[in-house]
Amino acid sequence: MLRRFIYSREGILSMIVLAMFLAVGTISPDFISVSNSISIFNDTSILIMLALGQMLVILTRCIDLSVAANVAFTGMVVAMVNQYFPTLNMFVLMLLALGVGAFLGAINGLFVWLLKVPSIVITLGTMSIYRGATFLLSDGAWVNSHQMSEAFIGLPRYEILSIPVLAWMAIITILLAFWTMKFSVWGRNFYSAGGNPMAAFYSGVNVGKVQFYAFLVSGTLAGLCGYLWVSRFAVAYVDVANGFELQVIAACVIGGVSIVGGLGTVVGCVIGALFIGVVNNALPIIGVSPFWQMAISGLVIIIAVVANASSDKDKARIILRKPEASVGSAPSQSH
């Protein structure tokens, strides 16, 4: 088991992340301290949760470009509700964030499922709509820390066993995602719907409905992250998480989630997010300018996409042959 993991994509990526972590530690010993390690994971927690939701969408051969806009809109909603009702229970606010995020994700899923609109088209549109709705809702104004209650700001920072609640939420999300994708029929349906939609259809899997569920989960996690983002940074404004969807997709691709669907793991997705988290924390320490940071991140994404495309070449050919065989047999069935 251990040997197989070491030689797997996830194992190799884990060793790369560990090597980077230790290499930066030779320059700055504090970087590899326990407290800083927890801080890096905490910084990456929102990315991890969003990447796990995006993974489900990509597994079904779709993509969600509106995830960061969902974060911004949901974050603004809960921040404004907290501003006007500061005594409102935090559990209610969390449910509100989950509900708003799920609603926005469901809009994407319904267009893909019922109207067969390509996901890249609908989510590109809803990305702009959700950003615009955030502006209209707030009238372009910010909700700052002094307008938020102490409970609203303090919850993600509250520590349990020296680990912030934000990090614990990411850990719980990882465990739930791992169990779902590994042991449940519902989780396996995501793989079958993206790996071979025609075979999944003949097996009784409603591919469109599975895609809808993927967007629903992605939106729900985005809603949760909307609250976590604005409460952690103690500010809500229109451009919250602007462009963050690219990092979310990059985490999935780097972690081995196939861009042609049907292939990817929770472990790989998490390690891909941690890779980005370590890079983002390490580059400033070694004196790399923000412009080079963007270039390096882009280069890593390109390499990961090329690697995924190469590894998926045979799989893609098999997928392409099966519809042809089915189409060829269709006339004989109709006579």
Side-chain angles (χ1 to χ4, degrees), residues 58-102:
I58 296 177
L59 283 176
T60 62
R61 298 191 176 190
C62 295
I63 197 164
D64 187 358
L65 298 177
S66 68
V67 62
N70 188 330
V71 169
F73 181 79
T74 306
M76 181 61 75
V77 169
V78 294
M80 293 183 68
V81 170
N82 177 252
Q83 178 186 2
Y84 292 110
F85 304 98
T87 59
L88 190 64
N89 188 277
M90 287 307 304
F91 181 71
V92 175
L93 272 180
M94 295 270 291
L95 288 178
L96 176 62
L98 291 169
V100 172

Side-chain angles (χ1 to χ4, degrees), residues 63-260:
I63 197 164
D64 187 358
L65 298 177
S66 68
V67 62
N70 188 330
V71 169
F73 181 79
T74 306
M76 181 61 75
V77 169
V78 294
M80 293 183 68
V81 170
N82 177 252
Q83 178 186 2
Y84 292 110
F85 304 98
T87 59
L88 190 64
N89 188 277
M90 287 307 304
F91 181 71
V92 175
L93 272 180
M94 295 270 291
L95 288 178
L96 176 62
L98 291 169
V100 172
F103 175 73
L104 298 184
I107 292 174
N108 293 330
L110 287 173
F111 272 95
V112 172
W113 174 24
L114 300 180
L115 300 181
K116 310 302 179 186
V117 180
S119 61
I120 192 171
V121 175
I122 183 60
T123 59
L124 187 62
T126 54
M127 177 178 68
S128 300
I129 293 172
Y130 298 163
R131 287 286 177 189
T134 306
F135 181 85
L136 292 174
L137 179 66
S138 63
D139 198 25
W142 291 29
V143 180
N144 295 302
S145 59
H146 66 274
Q147 298 168 297
M148 301 175 180
S149 68
E150 291 185 8
F152 184 86
I153 297 174
L155 180 60
R157 296 174 172 80
Y158 182 77
E159 293 187 356
I160 302 174
L161 301 177
S162 300
I163 299 176
V165 167
L166 173 57
W168 279 115
M169 287 185 176
I171 292 170
I172 293 171
T173 303
I174 293 168
L175 294 176
L176 287 175
F178 181 82
W179 184 88
T180 300
M181 302 307 290
K182 190 77 173 178
F183 301 109
S184 73
V185 174
W186 196 63
R188 288 194 293 272
N189 285 344
F190 290 105
Y191 288 106
S192 60
N196 194 325
M198 185 168 290
F201 173 77
Y202 286 119
S203 299
V205 176
N206 188 325
V207 175
K209 184 179 289 188
V210 172
Q211 291 173 332
F212 168 78
Y213 286 142
F215 279 103
L216 183 66
V217 173
S218 178
T220 303
L221 287 173
L224 174 62
C225 291
Y227 158 69
L228 295 173
W229 188 296
V230 299
S231 60
R232 181 166 188 257
F233 295 104
V235 63
Y237 58 101
V238 174
D239 287 330
V240 158
N242 191 23
F244 199 68
E245 64 276 354
L246 300 180
Q247 288 198 42
V248 174
I249 296 170
C252 294
V253 174
I254 293 171
V257 181
S258 174
I259 55 177
V260 299

Side-chain angles (χ1 to χ4, degrees), residues 8 46 62 83 89 125 187 194 196 217-218 236 255 266 278 288 297-298 313 330:
S8 68
I46 290 178
C62 295
Q83 178 186 2
N89 188 277
N196 194 325
V217 173
S218 178
V266 170
V278 171
V288 178
S297 299
K313 189 177 295 182

Side-chain angles (χ1 to χ4, degrees), residues 2-75:
L2 179 60
R3 181 182 178 86
R4 187 168 60 182
F5 175 77
I6 291 175
Y7 287 100
S8 68
R9 182 189 182 95
E10 292 84 357
I12 295 172
L13 185 59
S14 298
M15 288 186 284
I16 292 173
V17 173
L18 181 60
M20 288 194 310
F21 188 71
L22 296 176
V24 178
T26 61
I27 300 173
S28 175
D30 291 339
F31 187 78
I32 58 176
S33 65
V34 174
S35 60
N36 191 64
S37 299
I38 294 174
S39 179
I40 291 175
F41 183 83
N42 192 55
D43 290 343
T44 315
S45 292
I46 290 178
L47 177 59
I48 289 173
M49 287 186 279
L50 292 176
L52 289 173
Q54 186 76 236
M55 181 189 76
L56 298 184
V57 175
I58 296 177
L59 283 176
T60 62
R61 298 191 176 190
C62 295
I63 197 164
D64 187 358
L65 298 177
S66 68
V67 62
N70 188 330
V71 169
F73 181 79
T74 306

